Amino acid sequence: MNTNLPKLKIGWFYPKYLNLYGDRGNVEILVARAKLRNIPVEVIEIDLDTKLDAAFFKEINLVFMGGGPDLDQQKIYLDFLENKGNHLMEFLNNFGVGLFICGSYQLLGKYYKDAYEKILEGLGFLDFYTESPSSSEKTKSKSRMIGNIIVEVNSLLLNEPVFRSHNKLGNTFVGFENHGGRTYLSKDLIPLGLTKKNQGNNDLDLTEGVFYKNTFGTYLHGPLLARNPHFADYLIAKSIKIESLPHSAELEKFDTSVIVSAHEKSKKLKR
């Protein structure tokens, strides 16, 4: 057992506001799976009154930000863009690990246009945009995108050495989506994967989420990491830079049969 692994230090953005459909469970899973390996772990909650600077992000090795209802997203919007966004972009551009779910994923893009055609500028970190169908467009085919979802993971992630060494579940992620906005990636961006069931980013191109450096955006709730232990372990391993540690090619194994069973059974869930 390796007892000298670096600390996993998680920066959790706006936990009071962005915790839709159990997204806080993603942090709980990361903490639990780290502790099972005797990896020191610390969670730092980043809220409206938290002062951030570049030095702060040198102490963080994983950022998490969940989704939230429109009202709560509006509460954090200005603070995120004006006070914290530039420091976060620097962290992510320097290959810091980040996981962003639903509403926070949308904020990484260029803009979000709501159903009343009001446009909210995004962080502009990645070249995509999100639009909701207008009230006049809302038909059965343009309703909210809701349901259990299966995603075939992008081959670039599947073949990434650290992911490959921690992946014992094949080529899928499973989760639950519930969103009105349609996200459209530029041709230069890589999706997290392609949907095998339900819709993902939008109702046109089968893409789901985004994958850039060590930044992951996705519409998968669930919470995502509770149902995808291979992804959870990958995020931990990348955050502590396990590939650069002596004699630490991968995280220590433990019995995950219950979680693996939940993952497999999720593939059989109906809408």
Side-chain angles (χ1 to χ4, degrees):
M1 178 183 297
N2 192 334
T3 58
N4 297 307
L5 293 172
K7 177 182 280 190
L8 175 65
K9 201 164 184 180
I10 302 169
W12 184 7
F13 273 74
Y14 308 114
K16 296 177 183 176
Y17 299 101
L18 303 183
N19 177 33
L20 201 61
Y21 312 122
D23 283 341
R24 71 180 301 118
N26 290 300
V27 175
E28 293 171 354
I29 291 295
L30 290 168
V31 169
R33 295 183 76 84
K35 287 183 175 180
L36 283 167
R37 275 88 174 219
N38 290 310
I39 298 172
V41 60
E42 179 180 359
V43 178
I44 299 175
E45 296 188 2
I46 301 168
D47 229 312
L48 293 173
D49 57 355
T50 306
K51 304 300 182 185
L52 297 188
D53 56 22
F56 179 90
F57 276 97
K58 294 185 185 304
E59 302 299 318
I60 298 292
N61 51 22
L62 193 156
V63 163
F64 174 73
M65 193 167 168
D70 288 348
L71 182 61
D72 284 340
Q73 287 186 193
Q74 290 170 15
K75 291 177 182 177
I76 63 92
Y77 175 73
L78 288 179
D79 178 65
F80 179 67
L81 263 65
E82 296 179 1
N83 301 326
K84 298 180 170 68
N86 286 338
H87 298 303
L88 176 62
M89 285 197 293
E90 183 178 1
F91 171 80
L92 298 175
N93 267 323
N94 288 327
F95 290 88
V97 179
L99 176 60
F100 301 85
I101 309 291
C102 200
S104 62
Y105 163 34
Q106 295 170 351
L107 284 174
L108 296 180
K110 295 168 72 173
Y111 69 84
Y112 172 80
K113 185 169 78 171
D114 68 17
Y116 304 98
E117 301 193 356
K118 178 182 177 182
I119 292 180
L120 294 175
E121 296 298 324
L123 192 59
F125 175 62
L126 295 176
D127 187 9
F128 67 79
Y129 63 91
T130 303
E131 296 185 349
S132 287
S134 67
S135 300
S136 61
E137 290 179 312
K138 283 187 176 177
T139 62
K140 186 175 181 181
S141 63
K142 288 288 185 180
S143 59
R144 289 186 69 82
M145 299 156 73
I146 304 174
N148 292 293
I149 181 169
I150 302 172
V151 178
E152 184 176 297
V153 181
N154 193 295
S155 60
L156 292 176
L157 179 57
L158 287 174
N159 292 318
E160 197 275 343
V162 176
F163 188 90
R164 190 170 63 240
S165 66
H166 290 86
N167 179 18
K168 315 302 178 189
L169 280 175
N171 66 345
T172 56
F173 290 157
V174 295
F176 175 82
E177 65 175 341
N178 186 348
H179 56 104
R182 273 71 168 161
T183 293
Y184 303 93
L185 306 181
S186 73
K187 61 181 177 58
D188 297 323
L189 280 180
I190 300 168
L192 184 58
L194 298 177
T195 58
K196 306 296 288 182
K197 177 182 180 181
N198 278 332
Q199 294 166 305
N201 282 339
N202 57 68
D203 44 15
L204 296 178
D205 61 20
L206 301 180
T207 64
E208 204 296 307
V210 70
F211 167 33
Y212 173 76
K213 295 185 176 179
N214 291 327
T215 299
F216 303 91
T218 179
Y219 279 111
L220 271 64
H221 297 281
L224 168 67
L225 299 183
R227 299 165 77 177
N228 299 282
H230 49 334
F231 193 30
D233 285 350
Y234 168 72
L235 294 174
I236 294 170
K238 288 297 288 186
S239 297
I240 65 172
K241 296 182 170 61
I242 201 166
E243 66 271 29
S244 66
L245 300 176
H247 313 299
S248 297
E250 61 182 273
L251 298 175
E252 182 182 351
K253 298 179 177 64
F254 59 89
D255 183 10
T256 59
S257 56
V258 173
I259 304 170
V260 170
S261 176
H263 174 90
E264 294 300 328
K265 288 181 179 179
S266 292
K267 297 180 187 179
K268 301 175 184 177
L269 290 173
K270 296 181 179 179
R271 180 178 170 84

